[in-house]
């Protein structure tokens, strides 16, 4: 039975569905359960959404399966048109969607607007890629036959996304999956399900056929993911989130030998060499550290600065950080919104306390704000000593620990001394030197004299325990295809 979704009016002018999207219908959870979504700026609920059950997860697989053959054989041009329309609708409603992100995630309005634009670009980029899926024909070395390779949709994909970029992490997966001809089940983070549901409504309006995109908010993430991954019809898992959960999901996926793309945690080093342009480096540090209030996998986590410029760099950075206004993201003048929840504030507080106990000095900030909501002051720590917890873990908050180094080799050794390898940043006026250091860094991405690397046209992803596979660019599309080799005589 088709049930009209219970809609929420969290943002004036935007009606957001709050039920599950299964097979083109908005439906309540099988057991009628719902869970609350909290505004991090007030710590108050803003509404509730359906809490998907294991059975709902399996209904999503049925729906994705029923739609799979039709979508895989839909002309690439038509798949492209649908994605283009989704891009247009997201762009038309960018301010409303940004306000929705602010309400459930807390980030500042400019960050949220930047995210919506970035998110929509994945639909545009993959609309363009959908019609450029190539194969290959080679001659066998023996000259006896041709090696023909075609790319086919990999099949039903389970997509699991985090709360820190609730729109972009969803579109970065849905865009390439749909372009490749796959059907999907999206399980958004429980802190931020509303944005994913709003994206689902836009896709339906853009003409995505029933069952091609299914959306399953659920607080029972472990159980639901396990059941879906055990269904042999599911052939792809694309996960963005913590390394800990990613590792557990890789174990789950192993039983059915499911193809996995993993975008996991980071611990980005930010290296300022002695010949860097300090204005450029400080500006880069502000972006790399403070985009999303520090709640980004790409956030600069450890700032390694050459001894000769460290004091001046820290002073300028502290001044810039102290100048940021902290408050609810809904105030248009806010630079830094609240963290996502109390646990995030507690973690940042603990990391700063440990660094101070080990000798670090606070150049600015260093405290949680004493007011409702989950606010932490922009903070710069200097003289952070090796062994401090803050250098080993993702901070996921507005804190910049500065560490001094003496040689390029030492900077590279310090930067690589982590199990993570998502992104690194290097600042130098000497391009050759910057490239040499970039090549020596163990990371999937490097920002060279840039504090931001994210681009829908670029392959985003990490090495070591930061992940497997790439999202964005042409590489992102290939993650949703399987190559088939046909040995051919003619
Ligand atoms: P998380 O706790 O790992 O959760 C991510 C997603 O996994 C959520 O949807 C969550 O659902 C779900 N989940 C949790 N436990 C699960 C389980 N046992 N089985 C299946 N799904 C499960 O991460 P997060 O706190 O939301 O996000 C922050 C992390 O994401 C950071 O480590 C950050 O670095 C990483 N991240 C990486 C990238 C990248 O591209 N590399 C981008 C953004 C974020 P519930 O919300 O219902 O628990």
């Amino acid at each position: 039975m088709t049930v009209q979704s219970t809609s929420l009016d969290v943002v004036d002018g935007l009606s957001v569905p709050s039920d599950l999207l299964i097979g083109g219908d908005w439906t309540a959870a099988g057991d009628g359960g719902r869970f609350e979504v909290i505004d991090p700026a007030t710590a108050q609920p803003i509404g509730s959404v359906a809490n998907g059950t294991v059975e709902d997860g399996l209904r999503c697989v049925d729906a994705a399966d029923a739609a799979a053959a039709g979508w895989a054989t839909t002309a690439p041009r038509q798949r492209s048109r649908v994605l283009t329309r989704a891009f247009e609708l997201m762009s038309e409603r960018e301010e409303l969607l940004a306000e929705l992100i602010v309400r459930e995630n807390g980030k500042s309005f400019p960050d949220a607007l930047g995210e919506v634009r970035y998110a929509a670009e994945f639909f545009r980029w993959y609309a363009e890629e959908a019609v450029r899926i190539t194969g290959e024909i080679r001659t066998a070395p023996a000259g006896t036959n041709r090696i023909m390779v075609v790319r086919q949709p990999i099949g039903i994909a389970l997509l699991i996304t985090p709360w820190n970029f609730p729109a972009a992490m969803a579109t970065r997966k849905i865009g390439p999956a749909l372009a490749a001809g796959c059907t999907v089940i999206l399980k958004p983070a429980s802190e931020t399900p509303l944005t994913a549901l709003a994206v689902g409504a836009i896709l339906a309006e853009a003409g995505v056929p029933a069952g091609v995109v299914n959306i399953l908010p659920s607080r029972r993430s472990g159980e639901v993911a396990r059941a879906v991954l055990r269904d042999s019809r599911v052939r792809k898992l694309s996960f963005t989130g913590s390394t800990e959960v990613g590792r557990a999901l890789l174990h789950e996926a192993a039983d059915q030998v499911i193809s996995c793309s993993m975008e996991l945690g980071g611990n980005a080093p930010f290296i300022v060499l002695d010949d860097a342009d300090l204005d450029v480096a400080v500006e880069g540090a502000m972006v790399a550290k403070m985009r999303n209030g520090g709640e980004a996998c790409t956030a600069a986590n450890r700032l390694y600065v050459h001894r000769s410029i460290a004091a001046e760099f820290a002073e300028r950075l502290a001044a810039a950080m102290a100048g940021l206004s902290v408050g609810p993201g809904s105030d248009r003048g806010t630079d830094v919104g609240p963290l996502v929840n109390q646990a995030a504030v507690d973690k940042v507080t603990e990391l700063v306390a440990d660094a101070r106990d080990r000798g670090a000095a606070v150049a600015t900030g260093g405290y949680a704000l004493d007011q409702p909501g989950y606010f932490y002051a922009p903070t710069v720590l200097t003289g952070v000593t090796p062994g401090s917890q803050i250098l080993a873990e993702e901070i996921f908050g507005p804190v910049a620990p500065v560490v001094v180094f003496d040689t390029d080799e030492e900077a590279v050794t310090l930067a690589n001394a982590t199990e993570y390898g998502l992104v690194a940043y290097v600042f130098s006026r000497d391009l050759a030197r910057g490239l040499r250091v970039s090549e020596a860094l163990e990371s999937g991405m490097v920002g060279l004299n840039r504090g931001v690397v994210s681009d829908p046209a670029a392959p985003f992803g990490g090495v070591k325990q930061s992940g497997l596979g790439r999202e964005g660019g042409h590489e992102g599309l290939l993650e949703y295809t399987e190559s088939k080799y046909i040995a051919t005589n003619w």
Side-chain angles (χ1 to χ4, degrees), residues 39-52:
D39 179 347
T42 61
Q44 296 302 314
I46 50 175
S48 71
V49 301
N51 187 14

Side-chain angles (χ1 to χ4, degrees), residues 27-46:
T27 78
D31 64 358
R34 299 179 73 80
F35 66 93
E36 282 185 333
V37 181
I38 307 292
D39 179 347
T42 61
Q44 296 302 314
I46 50 175

